[in-house]
Amino acid sequence: MIVVTKHTASEQEILSLVEELKSSYPVEVQRITGSGCTVLGFIGDTSSIDMMLIENDSRVERVMRVTEPFKKANRLFHPDNSVIEVGGRKIGGKDITIIAGPCSVESEEQIVGIAESVKASGATFLRGGAYKPRTSPYAFQGLEQDGLELLKIAREKTGLPIVTEIMDPRTIESFIEDVDIIQIGARNMQNFSMLKELGRTRKPILLKRGLSSTIEEWIMAAEYIMAGGNEQVILCERGIRTFENYTRNTLDLSAICAVKKMSHLPVIVDPSHATGLKFMVEPMCMAAIAAGADGVIIEVHNNPEKALCDGAQSLTPQAFDKVINKMRKYAEIEGRQISEV
Ligand code: PEP
Ligand code: MN
């Protein structure tokens, strides 16, 4: 971090500023004295410094960061890829993880049937929404607690660990008890009180990128969870809002490359919500592997035309099977492998 002092700051003011900065933060301060202004360079861990606080100081002209504001998620301090283990499965590393299932849990028959077929095709996690974040309050809101119970039945019958979205911090206890990976949806990516609560747990978290979030904001959301002591965070690129409206969102494939460079956390791609169109799911899965993703989360429904949520982007179990077979070949080209149990 670099602090530029005001050209009007006196020598005495600069000296006292240096002393204050040194005593407030765990850093060394190096000084370069110019003709108009003085530049102070911070050496050490600046991740916990609030830039705005320094910028507001009457002796300071400008503050600039030269390193990222996140530490625990930063690859700089953790050069190796993080591998997160859930129910004997590894997320990250050489493995490409396949998470699949319906947008929302609708009935026991539906969720168990889909779980059995995605498992047969090679998925190692079951997804399914019990609490659904719908744009309209009149749309199907999910089966809520009953949906969680049905997911547990599907897990019991297939052995697939379950991934499902949390919407309300008041349900954290039941999610800790019942769910294998807790999903934070795009709409809650910056729900900081929820992130802090989940930071206190030791549950793996699938953190979706916010609808209009920058890559740095997304990693900072992961940092919130990690700062609380829960380092088991899996990032999920699910498309962002752009001016394009042919697709539901725009899949930011380059974000995968960026996040992989900036952070050691695993990154999963959601081609279903990113495109909103089933015919794009297969090519975007291949693109995700090419970009270096650690897995995909795909919506699969036994009868997409009758799905209560997101039918247009849901694959039939047969189409899903085809995608997975193709991904197996692609993964091999990249020196990766589809995760197995
Ligand atoms: C979902 O996974 O069903 C979902 C609602 O995703 P997102 O938060 O990415 O919109
Ligand atoms: Mn959905």
Side-chain angles (χ1 to χ4, degrees), residues 70-75 78-84 91-93 205 207 218-226 230-236 255-256 258-268 292-294 336:
F70 47 91
K71 184 161 188 264
K72 292 195 177 252
N74 203 320
R75 193 178 277 285
H78 188 302
D80 297 332
N81 288 321
S82 276
V83 177
I84 294 170
I91 303 177
I205 309 294
L207 179 65
W218 183 22
I219 300 179
M220 288 306 281
E223 189 79 10
Y224 258 91
I225 302 168
M226 299 174 87
N230 184 2
E231 309 219 336
Q232 303 200 79
V233 181
I234 304 145
L235 298 168
C236 178
I256 303 159
V259 166
K260 281 282 170 194
K261 187 168 190 293
M262 294 159 79
S263 176
H264 52 87
L265 296 174
V267 187
I268 300 279
D294 297 296
R336 313 281 298 269

Side-chain angles (χ1 to χ4, degrees), residues 117-131:
S117 52
V118 297
K119 182 184 178 185
S121 298
T124 49
F125 288 90
L126 174 67
R127 66 147 287 150
Y131 294 87

Side-chain angles (χ1 to χ4, degrees), residues 102-104 127-129 131-133 165 183-188 208-209 211 236 238-239 248-249 270 273-274 297 299 309-310 313:
C103 180
S104 51
R127 66 147 287 150
Y131 294 87
K132 293 304 305 175
E165 177 171 354
Q183 176 175 323
I184 291 273
R187 290 151 195 82
N188 269 312
K208 290 197 149 195
R209 183 177 179 183
L211 303 165
C236 178
R238 47 79 69 205
R248 183 176 180 180
N249 291 290
D270 176 345
H273 292 90
I297 176 165
E299 285 189 341
C309 187
D310 288 351
Q313 65 195 35

